[in-house]
Amino acid sequence: MITLSLGLGGCASAAYYAQAVAGQWQVLRDRQDLATLIASPDTGPRLKQRLQAVLEARDWVVQALDLPDNGSYRRYVDLHRDYVVWNVYATPELSLSPLQHCFPVAGCVAYQGWYQEPAARAQARALAAQGYDVALGGVPAYSTLGWFDDPLMSPMLRWDDATLIETLIHELAHQKLYVPGDTAFNESFAEFVGQEGLRQYRRLHPDLPGNASLERRRREFTQRVLARRAQLATLYASALSEPLQRVLKAETLQGLQRDYQQLREGDWQGQGPYDAWFAEAPLNNARLLPFGLYDAGVPAFAALYAQSGGEWPRFYARAAQLARLPAAQRAQALRQLAAGAGLP
């Protein structure tokens, strides 16, 4: 689940600006009220059931989690496509530093979001022709940070109810607190709120459909990716020649494939949830970028929540204090929290 925080203008090209405006307008134009759809005899029973679950959860998060009480996720849009946007990531050939794209609202982020897949693929090809490592990923949901009332989107309904509700909480958390330009802080904050919010919701709905084994495998695979990515970071920071770095880069990426095969054939008993991911494109730096983006600071926010006595308003207030710190101090504070040292 990659969040696209839409910001228009700035250094964006005219073509990018135009497609972003048109894509966002389509989303806003085609929204339909959840309660109206639920009451309509034209709405199929399965869709009606899913929409009702979202509406009930949406009301609950306002009261229980102190999240924004606005029009977001109280309307639905059928996009008639698999994803709402396609994100394009790029890094230099021998670096893990992403190509940044800066916007007035969202700050700088490590991707560009395109509402049409052909346009995203054209941008990916253009960047690859310039020598970048490039990756393309479909995104089922994003947040506009409260600038618009974000709807429930049809690609989100491919998820089970637990994932859907966790994502809804995650996206609303972005509306609660967002630091322009600090992706790691924003995503870790929203990820913690989503995870903890779902845990609390499950206490009231113990039969909520979900897939715990898939989540466990995601964590295990992410750990392998992060370990190999750390090897690459060490390699790129070394004084080795570029030709040798290219050879060792290829060996490291091949090692990730071996790691996956060991998981697949071992603990996962032949289940291969990442088979398609490996098959869709060759491995490179850019394809590793999204992994760990959401998880790195979660322990720090979990510690902050515990220190806040499990009180959401107090937790948000203390997180907002962190958000006001300069970037280096904010990162140091998160490290201290994760290490159990408390806030500085």
Side-chain angles (χ1 to χ4, degrees), residues 237-278:
S238 73
L240 296 175
S241 67
E242 289 190 0
L244 183 53
Q245 286 194 21
R246 291 188 182 96
V247 171
L248 296 177
K249 170 187 176 181
E251 291 180 358
T252 303
L253 294 174
Q254 290 169 4
L256 178 58
Q257 291 181 302
R258 291 193 298 272
D259 295 341
Y260 175 64
Q261 289 301 320
Q262 290 173 0
L263 286 172
R264 191 180 188 280
E265 296 165 10
D267 293 345
W268 295 0
Q269 299 180 336
Q271 297 295 314
Y274 291 93
D275 287 357
W277 183 80
F278 277 98

Side-chain angles (χ1 to χ4, degrees), residues 158-300:
R158 298 201 305 270
W159 298 326
D160 57 63
D161 283 1
T163 303
L164 181 58
I165 290 169
E166 182 178 355
T167 302
L168 182 151
I169 297 170
H170 177 114
E171 303 298 355
L172 288 171
H174 282 308
Q175 296 186 20
K176 190 76 174 183
L177 180 63
Y178 184 87
V179 181
D182 195 336
T183 301
F185 180 94
N186 295 326
E187 296 302 343
S188 294
F189 168 78
E191 188 73 357
F192 168 73
V193 176
Q195 291 178 3
E196 179 59 28
L198 179 64
R199 278 192 288 269
Q200 295 181 16
Y201 192 74
R202 276 191 180 279
R203 295 188 196 126
L204 302 175
H205 303 83
D207 297 327
L208 186 71
N211 195 324
S213 63
L214 276 179
E215 177 59 25
R216 175 179 59 82
R217 291 169 186 165
R218 185 191 71 83
R219 289 195 302 268
E220 292 173 350
F221 182 64
T222 297
Q223 290 171 358
R224 276 33 173 217
V225 173
L226 296 182
R228 293 295 183 178
R229 198 167 70 185
Q231 290 181 1
L232 289 173
T234 300
L235 171 63
Y236 299 148
S238 73
L240 296 175
S241 67
E242 289 190 0
L244 183 53
Q245 286 194 21
R246 291 188 182 96
V247 171
L248 296 177
K249 170 187 176 181
E251 291 180 358
T252 303
L253 294 174
Q254 290 169 4
L256 178 58
Q257 291 181 302
R258 291 193 298 272
D259 295 341
Y260 175 64
Q261 289 301 320
Q262 290 173 0
L263 286 172
R264 191 180 188 280
E265 296 165 10
D267 293 345
W268 295 0
Q269 299 180 336
Q271 297 295 314
Y274 291 93
D275 287 357
W277 183 80
F278 277 98
E280 69 186 20
L283 292 181
N284 61 29
N285 297 326
R287 298 201 68 211
L288 307 186
L289 280 180
F291 288 91
L293 183 66
Y294 290 67
D295 305 287
V298 169

Side-chain angles (χ1 to χ4, degrees), residues 22-222:
Q24 181 63 39
W25 168 243
Q26 181 210 356
V27 169
L28 297 176
R29 180 196 63 199
D30 294 343
R31 294 173 300 178
Q32 295 178 275
D33 181 70
L34 288 185
T36 301
L37 284 171
I38 291 168
S40 172
D42 297 328
T43 304
R46 177 56 177 161
L47 177 58
K48 187 174 297 190
Q49 178 188 23
R50 303 295 310 277
L51 298 183
Q52 184 65 48
V54 168
L55 195 57
E56 292 174 2
R58 182 66 182 89
D59 291 337
W60 178 83
V61 301
V62 173
Q63 301 300 322
L65 306 184
D66 193 31
L67 287 173
D69 186 7
N70 56 29
S72 291
Y73 307 107
R74 298 188 185 281
R75 283 182 277 186
Y76 172 73
V77 59
D78 189 347
L79 296 173
H80 304 287
R81 59 180 187 262
D82 291 338
Y83 299 104
V84 57
V85 292
W86 285 261
N87 281 352
V88 178
Y89 302 86
T91 71
E93 180 191 9
L94 298 176
S95 171
L96 292 168
S97 298
L99 182 64
Q100 295 281 337
H101 305 276
C102 299
F103 306 102
V105 176
C108 296
V109 295
Y111 51 82
Q112 271 190 332
W114 297 81
Y115 282 85
Q116 298 297 327
E117 185 177 9
R121 292 194 176 279
Q123 175 68 0
R125 288 193 298 271
L127 290 170
Q130 297 175 42
Y132 288 102
D133 277 13
V134 177
L136 185 71
V139 180
Y142 64 77
S143 172
T144 60
L145 308 179
W147 285 79
F148 303 104
D149 288 335
D150 299 318
L152 176 72
M153 303 189 197
S154 53
M156 300 168 69
L157 296 183
R158 298 201 305 270
W159 298 326
D160 57 63
D161 283 1
T163 303
L164 181 58
I165 290 169
E166 182 178 355
T167 302
L168 182 151
I169 297 170
H170 177 114
E171 303 298 355
L172 288 171
H174 282 308
Q175 296 186 20
K176 190 76 174 183
L177 180 63
Y178 184 87
V179 181
D182 195 336
T183 301
F185 180 94
N186 295 326
E187 296 302 343
S188 294
F189 168 78
E191 188 73 357
F192 168 73
V193 176
Q195 291 178 3
E196 179 59 28
L198 179 64
R199 278 192 288 269
Q200 295 181 16
Y201 192 74
R202 276 191 180 279
R203 295 188 196 126
L204 302 175
H205 303 83
D207 297 327
L208 186 71
N211 195 324
S213 63
L214 276 179
E215 177 59 25
R216 175 179 59 82
R217 291 169 186 165
R218 185 191 71 83
R219 289 195 302 268
E220 292 173 350
F221 182 64
T222 297

Side-chain angles (χ1 to χ4, degrees), residues 192 196 200 300-312 315:
F192 168 73
E196 179 59 28
Q200 295 181 16
F301 286 108
L304 185 64
Y305 182 74
Q307 291 175 20
S308 303
E311 299 176 10
W312 286 107
F315 166 76

Side-chain angles (χ1 to χ4, degrees), residues 2 4 299 319 334:
I2 304 294
L4 172 67
L334 290 178

